[in-house]
Amino acid sequence: MHEFVGHGLVIPFHRGARDFATADGERLVRACVQQILGTVGASDFTQGELPWRTEFGSLLHLLRHQQNDVALREMAKVYVRDALQRWEPRVRVTQLDAQRADDAAGGKLILRLRYDVVQRNVPGGQMLFAGLEQTVAVTP
């Protein structure tokens, strides 16, 4: 496997054979993206979820209790791109769509990401994985 990608815990946390489940490669990158987007990052209104690194995460939580309209979907895209650019340098977002999914709870925001995983410590960034797709649901 690619050493640059590393090895680590996967999200959601669950027990493996001996300890918490771990992964490497594509599965680890997907878990990291999920962790970044699902963690409350510090803003002017919130302290941040992780006391030891309050800025880590995204600002998607600021969209809660907001009207699920075009403006909200565009803000979600900005928050996703900013968070991944800052906290996951291996990921290069190539496509990002935000759609409203109506349900009994009043609708969710569905984010569909397509990204490449690159090795940033070499000139030009060597492509490790291309065209990974991931879906994230946010309840505004």
Side-chain angles (χ1 to χ4, degrees):
M1 195 47 56
H2 301 282
E3 287 183 26
F4 178 75
V5 174
H7 188 84
L9 294 173
V10 294
I11 302 293
F13 296 122
H14 61 280
R15 299 291 289 180
R18 288 195 243 150
D19 203 352
F20 285 104
T22 61
D24 53 19
E26 178 183 327
R27 188 168 172 221
L28 177 63
V29 174
R30 287 179 187 279
C32 290
V33 167
Q34 183 67 38
Q35 181 178 14
I36 291 165
L37 298 180
T39 302
V40 174
S43 71
D44 293 340
F45 311 104
T46 57
Q47 181 176 357
E49 187 172 348
L50 304 177
W52 59 91
R53 195 173 200 181
T54 58
E55 292 185 10
F56 178 82
S58 75
L59 299 179
L60 286 172
H61 65 280
L62 296 177
L63 303 179
R64 290 188 185 129
H65 308 295
Q66 302 296 323
Q67 184 175 349
N68 193 347
D69 58 8
V70 174
L72 179 120
R73 292 189 288 273
E74 291 304 314
M75 284 304 303
K77 289 180 184 181
V78 169
Y79 291 158
V80 168
R81 287 185 190 278
D82 288 352
L84 293 179
Q85 185 176 8
R86 180 173 185 187
W87 298 111
E88 188 50 270
R90 301 173 293 188
V91 169
R92 185 183 315 146
V93 177
T94 58
Q95 184 178 353
L96 177 56
D97 296 317
Q99 298 176 344
R100 179 184 174 143
D102 290 319
D103 62 9
K108 288 188 179 191
L109 181 63
I110 306 297
L111 301 166
R112 288 186 175 84
L113 293 93
R114 179 181 287 249
Y115 54 88
D116 299 331
V117 178
V118 297
Q119 185 172 350
R120 302 280 277 202
N121 60 348
V122 295
Q126 177 186 357
M127 183 79 63
L128 300 177
F129 305 105
L132 298 182
E133 294 183 6
Q134 192 163 344
T135 301
V136 177
V138 177
T139 304

